[in-house]
Amino acid sequence: MRLDELLEELQARINAALGTRDRVHSLLEAVVSVGRELDLPQVLRRIVEAAALLVDAQYGALGVIGPDGRTLSQFLTVGLTEAEIARIGPLPAGHGILGELIRNPEPLRLTDLGTHEASYGFPAHHPPMRTFLGVPIRVRDEVFGNLYLTDKHGGADFDAEDESVIATLSVAAGVAIDNARLYEASQRQQRWLQANAEITNSLLSGSPRLDVLELIARRAQDITGAQLADVSVPVAGTDDLVVELAIGADDEPRRGLVVPVRGTLSGAAYRAGTPVTTTGLAEDDRYTAAPRRFDGLGPAVAVPLGTETRDIRGVLLLARSVGEPVFTEGELEPLRAFAGQAALALELAERRNDAEQLALLEDRDRIARDLHDLAIQRLFATGMTLQSAARLVQHEGAAERVSRAVGDLDETIKIIRSTIFGLRARDEDTGPSLRARVARAVGEAGTTLGFPPRLSMEGLLDTDVPPQVADHVMAALGEALSNVARHAHATRVEVSLQATADEVVLIVTDNGRGIPADGRRSGLSNLEERARSVGGAFDVQAPAEGGTRLLWRAPVAQPG
């Protein structure tokens, strides 16, 4: 009998040793499996799967603690199907038992989690859970998240050995997460360096300003995983910004939108001169101006294009989808460098434009000088020669032709002199030219409309349109834009101004609700009366696609 008892005890110890060996072997396999991955999402998935397998848990989860240190920003589960997860609804944010482990990052083992004082209960359609084991995961000195395990198969409780195994796995998990983060950071840094090189090449090759800005925005969007990338620039003469470039997330309606400096994330970055972040762009009550544009968007960052010591030329806005990670300090550093590249692109484009404008004006002066010193003198000499020769021509018809040729030369000289005057009348944005006045008026209308109108101009507006007609054009334009802002409820306005040899034509088109039959028409009457006063005409049209088209015209040669 004694021998049998000893043999049974020996067999039990052998079985325990074998079980311990198998468990250690499983733990080593789990550690190797977790450490083999370098992609962070895959590492997290491997950790929670290995933990559930090691302690034979029916359900397992890994919660990543958010930047605030109080809630969960990510929550990965095993043991639940996609249908079950969908029925449960929103993932846990860190209340109840989950929040207890966040507040006190120490291993927690419970026989019945429902009896714990911090128990928060389960949402509807959540499967029942009883036993619980929670262990924090530390990455260096930081608590990265927590492992949650519930309900061992067979109904047994989690024991001290289970706790020891998961605590050991959590150490290996912390190392694996740290390695994955470092690898991710190095890959991201490499992509930033490649993007910087690409942008530098684009700048040095003389690419247009908007093309370089688009390249910067797209690379920033790709590298940061943003759903939206907007570039807003200041509106001349106002305190607002306007979206000059919009990429992703239904970009067409955003392009051209006026962005108030107050009440927007981009405006806050523009005023502060430093990057500004938010954990939820659509819900952040600090930035409530036009929130409908950002429905479905979560973490966001606005980076000024420039530095505190230099003029800020715009703002780059990046936004991720709801549920995506927030922008970290490690991501802001390369974004600051990228913003410097964008500011450089804008500055180089302005300098290049100034140089091209200067070269154009110098070329105009040269052409005008050559026309005056060479062409006119030769034409004048030719005309004098023909006039002298005309006295010697006896044939009446030939004499008439020579006289007509002299007259044509006189007209040609007049045309060339007029051209010289036009070449030397340099257009400056701050000058009183009709082009500059129209451009300024249309730009200022963007603040009232909520978006900048599109503008196109053709013809010799500054030389062929008399000053008094130009004043009427400006008044008609102001009245038309004011009518659109007050009554049309439009989201797009197009302004076209064209000068021909006979008339100047102003067309203002919007996509608003049109002009109701019983609506007030005092503004339209003013436009019609103004057109008649200068011998012109005014017409109101209803395009097939909706909205209103106002057509105002006036002759450039005024009677009297």
Side-chain angles (χ1 to χ4, degrees):
M1 293 292 294
R2 179 62 179 163
L3 180 59
D4 289 341
E5 291 177 358
L6 290 174
L7 288 175
E8 287 177 1
E9 184 179 352
L10 179 60
Q11 184 63 45
R13 292 191 178 187
I14 290 173
N15 291 337
L18 290 173
T20 302
R21 183 199 66 181
D22 292 342
R23 196 159 198 181
V24 170
H25 187 266
S26 298
L27 178 59
L28 290 175
E29 283 186 344
V31 170
V32 172
S33 174
V34 167
R36 186 183 298 120
E37 292 290 341
L38 288 175
D39 179 62
L40 185 56
Q42 191 62 33
V43 168
L44 300 180
R45 174 61 60 182
R46 285 285 182 91
I47 291 171
V48 67
E49 290 174 348
L53 184 64
L54 282 172
V55 297
D56 199 23
Q58 185 176 354
Y59 304 106
L62 191 156
V64 179
I65 300 175
D68 60 4
R70 300 187 304 273
T71 58
L72 299 176
S73 61
Q74 288 180 265
F75 197 78
L76 291 79
T77 64
V78 296
L80 293 173
T81 65
E82 292 295 331
E84 289 175 324
I85 294 174
R87 283 198 300 271
I88 293 172
L91 294 174
H95 302 296
I97 297 295
L98 307 186
E100 178 68 20
L101 210 57
I102 295 174
R103 292 186 293 273
N104 303 300
E106 298 293 337
L108 178 63
R109 186 158 40 96
L110 301 173
T111 300
D112 187 353
L113 58 84
T115 62
H116 193 277
E117 60 182 9
S119 179
Y120 200 77
F122 296 110
H125 308 295
H126 196 288
M129 296 179 180
R130 189 179 65 84
T131 58
F132 176 85
L133 173 60
V135 176
I137 299 176
R138 286 182 169 84
V139 178
R140 302 187 183 184
D141 295 329
E142 167 198 0
V143 179
F144 175 82
N146 297 299
L147 274 171
Y148 309 107
L149 301 158
T150 61
D151 291 1
K152 290 191 71 167
H153 288 100
D157 293 340
F158 293 106
D159 54 26
E161 188 175 339
D162 293 326
E163 181 181 319
S164 177
V165 168
I166 297 303
T168 303
L169 177 65
S170 71
V171 174
V175 175
I177 291 171
D178 194 28
N179 289 338
R181 279 176 159 183
L182 292 173
Y183 176 76
E184 190 178 69
S186 66
Q187 291 294 101
R188 186 167 56 244
Q189 184 65 25
Q190 183 179 359
R191 294 180 67 187
W192 283 120
L193 291 174
Q194 291 174 346
N196 278 326
E198 187 177 359
I199 291 166
T200 300
N201 290 336
S202 180
L203 285 171
L204 295 179
S205 64
S207 298
R209 166 181 169 276
L210 195 59
D211 289 353
V212 178
L213 276 182
E214 182 175 359
L215 178 62
I216 290 171
R218 288 196 181 279
R219 292 298 173 268
Q221 181 192 28
D222 293 342
I223 295 173
T224 60
Q227 183 183 355
L228 169 150
D230 286 356
V231 176
S232 302
V233 297
V235 180
T238 72
D239 293 330
D240 296 325
L241 306 173
V242 63
V243 179
E244 183 176 14
L245 181 68
I247 299 174
D250 195 19
D251 52 10
E252 183 61 31
R254 296 196 317 277
R255 194 174 297 118
L257 281 175
V258 172
V259 181
V261 170
R262 298 193 178 277
T264 62
L265 189 69
S266 296
Y270 182 74
R271 293 199 315 271
T274 58
V276 179
T277 61
T278 178
T279 57
L281 188 56
E283 297 82 18
D284 198 321
D285 55 10
R286 295 174 297 171
Y287 313 114
T288 56
R292 290 189 302 272
R293 290 181 292 152
F294 304 121
D295 289 344
L297 295 176
V301 60
V303 188
L305 306 181
T307 65
E308 295 180 358
T309 58
R310 301 183 63 180
D311 291 339
I312 297 176
R313 301 174 180 274
V315 178
L316 171 63
L317 174 67
L318 299 168
R320 291 171 174 156
S321 301
V322 173
E324 293 290 322
V326 299
F327 287 88
T328 63
E329 187 62 33
E331 292 179 292
L332 295 185
E333 284 305 319
L335 275 174
R336 288 189 183 96
F338 232 51
Q341 290 272 22
L344 179 61
L346 292 172
E347 186 171 351
L348 284 178
E350 291 176 4
R351 296 293 180 267
R352 188 181 298 122
N353 183 67
D354 291 344
E356 291 174 354
Q357 189 69 16
L358 181 61
L360 175 64
L361 295 177
E362 289 177 348
D363 204 35
R364 285 183 174 184
D365 284 343
R366 181 188 59 79
I367 293 172
R369 186 171 57 253
D370 290 346
L371 285 174
H372 182 272
D373 295 344
L374 300 177
I376 288 183
Q377 299 303 326
R378 291 195 176 190
L379 288 174
F380 187 76
T382 303
M384 294 291 292
T385 302
L386 288 175
Q387 281 183 327
S388 300
R391 301 190 191 96
L392 304 177
V393 177
Q394 301 298 325
H395 190 278
E396 183 178 348
E400 182 181 353
R401 288 187 179 184
V402 171
S403 177
R404 190 163 56 246
V406 171
D408 290 343
L409 286 175
D410 288 338
E411 288 298 321
T412 302
I413 291 173
K414 290 180 182 179
I415 292 173
I416 293 177
R417 289 187 185 277
S418 176
T419 302
I420 292 173
F421 175 79
L423 286 172
R424 287 178 171 170
R426 302 178 179 181
D427 295 336
E428 297 182 0
D429 292 340
T430 57
S433 68
L434 180 57
R435 281 181 179 271
R437 294 167 67 189
V438 169
R440 187 180 299 110
V442 171
E444 292 173 351
T447 303
T448 307
L449 293 168
F451 56 89
R454 298 181 180 179
L455 173 63
S456 64
M457 293 185 282
E458 298 180 22
L460 300 176
L461 296 168
D462 297 331
T463 57
D464 287 3
V465 180
Q468 63 272 23
V469 176
D471 291 340
H472 284 289
V473 170
M474 292 304 303
L477 175 61
E479 182 74 30
L481 291 176
S482 177
N483 287 340
V484 174
R486 290 199 305 263
H487 309 299
H489 300 283
T491 60
R492 188 181 71 252
V493 175
E494 297 179 4
V495 177
S496 171
L497 184 63
Q498 182 180 14
T500 66
D502 302 318
E503 63 178 0
V504 57
V505 180
L506 171 67
I507 302 175
V508 179
T509 307
D510 67 73
N511 67 341
R513 62 181 183 180
I515 300 176
D518 57 348
R520 295 180 58 187
R521 294 177 175 266
S522 57
L524 301 181
S525 299
N526 292 338
L527 289 170
E528 185 174 7
E529 179 61 31
R530 188 175 293 278
R532 287 179 179 175
S533 68
V534 290
F538 173 69
D539 186 27
V540 181
Q541 301 173 353
E545 62 273 15
T548 305
R549 180 183 292 114
L550 305 180
L551 193 151
W552 191 95
R553 61 177 74 234
V556 294
Q558 295 298 299

